[in-house]
Amino acid sequence: MAAVGFRLGQRVHAAGDPGRVGTVRYLGPVEGHSGDWVGVDWDAGAGGRHDGLLAGRRYFHAAGERSASFARPTALSAGITLPDALRNRYRVDDFTKEEEDEMYVFSTSQKRVSVELVGKNKVQEKLKNFNELISASVSFMGVSSTGPLDELKNLVPNLRELDLTGNLLSQWQDIFFLCEVLASLEVIDLTNNTMENDFTKSSFLKNIHVLVLNYCGVTWELVEKIKVSFSCLIELHLMSNRMKIIMAPVGNIVQGFDTLRLLNLEDNHIDSWDEIVKLSCLRSLEQLHLNKNMLKHVTYPSNPPLSGSLGDADAVPFEKLRVLLLGSNQIDDFLSVDSLNLFPNLTDVRLSDNPIADPAKGGAPRFVLIARLGKVKILNGSEVSPRERREAEIRYVRLVMAKAESYDPDEINRLHPRFTELKAFHGIEDEKPISKTSGPQKMASGLISITLKCVGPSMGEKQPLTKKLPPATTVGKLKSLCDGFFKLKDIKLRLYLEEEGCPLPQFLEEEMASLMELGIGTGATIIVDEES
């Protein structure tokens, strides 16, 4: 067994391939095969042959059905030290003859011309002295230890940013030593290192401001342990750790992290907003990234779970939160959208790829979301200009007026909390039906002016037209009118509404919906295209 040279739980990579990383799960003989073997559970995408069951015998349980394999010890590497990885990545010794032969370009006469590296000597002199190195990446280089700490300190004393993505680190003691020795270090990225959830040493690492633990298999229980050491974090990234529960040990609310401004919990398994409410008293939190979770509803905590030890009974939930990213969740109700208005300083929201924001699934188009979100300045990554907000709010009010099944003010305000406010702000009067005795001038005053742009490839070049139409004109009727306006024959049309701030025009799918019901008013632009 000793000849194997590995230990259970150790991170290794395939010899000669630092990108193929796995964890040792078995050491010893394999029935029917001579010698010692190492059973490895390879990380996702690294490939394997089975799940730890071979020829009817269970040796270990792998994470995937085909993520495991057995290898000879000589086929695996236990990795290298961080100083060696830095030298390998940033060495600037003279190129070998073979490397220099590969460095050429072709001239206009197709002759090979050698490439001369301008400033090569200057770069070599600078990087031979690693004192100049401020930012370094040794991603997927098989780093398994810090090596001698004095060696590391003397090699890169001024390093501020270190990317350790995809290496073999797993023990927090190594990370603490590394951060203590490199006093200038502020950013450390441990993405795709399987970090152990337990550690004994606790240091105070006030120099680390950004900690990245994406794809590390960490739990919030571990986060609660390490927050004492990383007491001055500004950013904490915890993407893709399969987290579902935020375990707050005291008072059901997360405490500490007094300097934390950005918390990234994207691509986890959180399905209850109650878990997010546990973060509501992080006093410096400005950005909360929750894309790609399983959230169905959002509410503003009217009675946050304050702990007596927090010492601040007047704390305002999510007081400094400016950015809330909720894309690719399962939110499907307007109550969740409307609740975002209650967050005191929320101005940047992402709701894309939720049912409520997908018109094709019965969700709301962009203009409705803008109108319902009164303080939002950036929606789904796109700035909301003053003009777009004004047009969206007016269109929204008209939409509500056209589709309201009841004119009971209480009912309308319950379903559309901003309707009354917006109607008064924009001076929109109630629509009155046109009487039979109305004259031509009064009839004309009820028309809306829209611009029609013909873009279909087989329609020929057409000049845009501006037409005045009754608000009751349906999408189907407008298609028929376009046939005459643009002299089109035997072409099936599709209509789209062009909106400022929207990357793609909105498809007008409901044939029987009127312009008023769709919230389309004067100044709108309709794209006339042909069915593909």
Side-chain angles (χ1 to χ4, degrees), residues 101-327:
D101 287 344
E102 291 297 319
M103 299 172 64
Y104 63 85
V105 294
F106 284 106
S107 68
T108 53
S109 58
Q110 295 302 302
K111 291 183 178 180
R112 281 170 47 145
V113 179
S114 297
V115 173
E116 179 181 352
L117 295 181
V118 178
K120 173 183 173 184
N121 293 336
K122 185 176 180 181
V123 172
Q124 284 180 337
E125 287 303 317
K126 183 176 181 180
L127 285 184
K128 278 180 179 176
N129 183 354
F130 275 73
N131 287 343
E132 301 290 335
L133 201 59
I134 295 175
S135 177
S137 172
V138 289
S139 58
F140 295 99
M141 292 193 69
V143 176
S144 59
S145 70
T146 60
L149 294 179
D150 286 344
E151 180 185 4
L152 182 62
K153 180 178 180 179
N154 294 331
L155 184 66
V156 284
N158 296 308
L159 196 66
R160 295 179 190 169
E161 300 180 6
L162 178 59
D163 181 2
L164 287 162
T165 295
N167 282 288
L168 309 180
L169 297 166
S170 62
Q171 297 185 335
W172 281 103
Q173 184 172 325
D174 288 337
I175 305 304
F176 289 141
F177 285 158
L178 185 156
C179 295
E180 288 172 349
V181 166
L182 300 179
S184 297
L185 193 65
E186 297 177 0
V187 179
I188 183 166
D189 188 343
L190 294 169
T191 294
N192 270 320
N193 287 271
T194 302
M195 302 305 300
E196 296 177 357
N197 273 334
D198 294 322
F199 61 87
T200 54
K201 181 178 173 59
S202 182
S203 306
F204 295 101
L205 306 170
K206 295 184 177 181
N207 54 316
I208 303 300
H209 295 152
V210 179
L211 177 61
V212 183
L213 294 172
N214 300 335
Y215 297 93
C216 287
V218 303
T219 64
W220 193 268
E221 185 179 10
L222 172 68
V223 174
E224 287 290 333
K225 292 178 181 178
I226 67 174
K227 73 180 182 183
V228 177
S229 299
F230 295 96
S231 58
C232 294
L233 285 182
I234 295 174
E235 295 185 17
L236 176 59
H237 296 263
L238 300 169
M239 288 178 60
S240 304
N241 283 299
R242 301 177 184 172
M243 283 188 188
K244 185 173 182 178
I245 298 174
I246 294 175
M247 299 181 65
V250 180
N252 206 31
I253 189 165
V254 174
Q255 302 180 38
F257 293 113
D258 290 342
T259 59
L260 191 67
R261 297 178 194 168
L262 186 154
L263 177 58
N264 185 349
L265 288 166
E266 292 191 12
D267 198 18
N268 279 287
H269 294 171
I270 303 171
D271 60 3
S272 172
W273 185 254
D274 290 341
E275 299 302 316
I276 305 305
V277 171
K278 296 175 183 177
L279 306 169
S280 61
C281 289
L282 293 179
R283 62 187 64 186
S284 299
L285 189 63
E286 297 178 2
Q287 298 189 44
L288 183 54
H289 298 190
L290 298 171
N291 293 328
K292 296 185 179 179
N293 275 278
M294 303 175 185
L295 296 166
K296 299 177 179 64
H297 307 288
V298 177
T299 57
Y300 184 74
S302 55
N303 295 303
L306 291 175
S307 168
S309 62
L310 199 61
D312 188 3
D314 297 325
V316 177
F318 295 113
E319 183 174 13
K320 292 188 177 180
L321 192 66
R322 295 184 298 101
V323 179
L324 180 58
L325 305 185
L326 293 164

Side-chain angles (χ1 to χ4, degrees), residues 360-427:
K361 297 179 180 178
R366 178 179 170 88
F367 83 91
V368 169
L369 296 175
I370 290 173
R372 297 188 83 119
L373 295 170
K375 294 182 289 189
V376 167
K377 296 179 180 179
I378 299 175
L379 177 62
N380 297 335
S382 176
E383 183 180 357
V384 179
S385 68
R387 176 183 172 184
E388 184 186 13
R389 173 162 291 286
R390 180 179 180 277
E391 292 179 353
E393 290 176 350
I394 291 173
R395 187 178 168 197
Y396 171 69
V397 170
R398 288 176 174 155
L399 173 66
V400 174
M401 292 169 64
K403 284 196 166 186
E405 296 181 1
S406 165
Y407 287 93
D408 177 8
D410 293 336
E411 180 68 7
I412 289 180
N413 288 331
R414 184 182 69 81
L415 297 174
H416 307 278
R418 300 196 70 226
F419 171 75
T420 302
E421 168 198 349
L422 294 177
K423 184 169 175 285
F425 180 78
H426 293 289

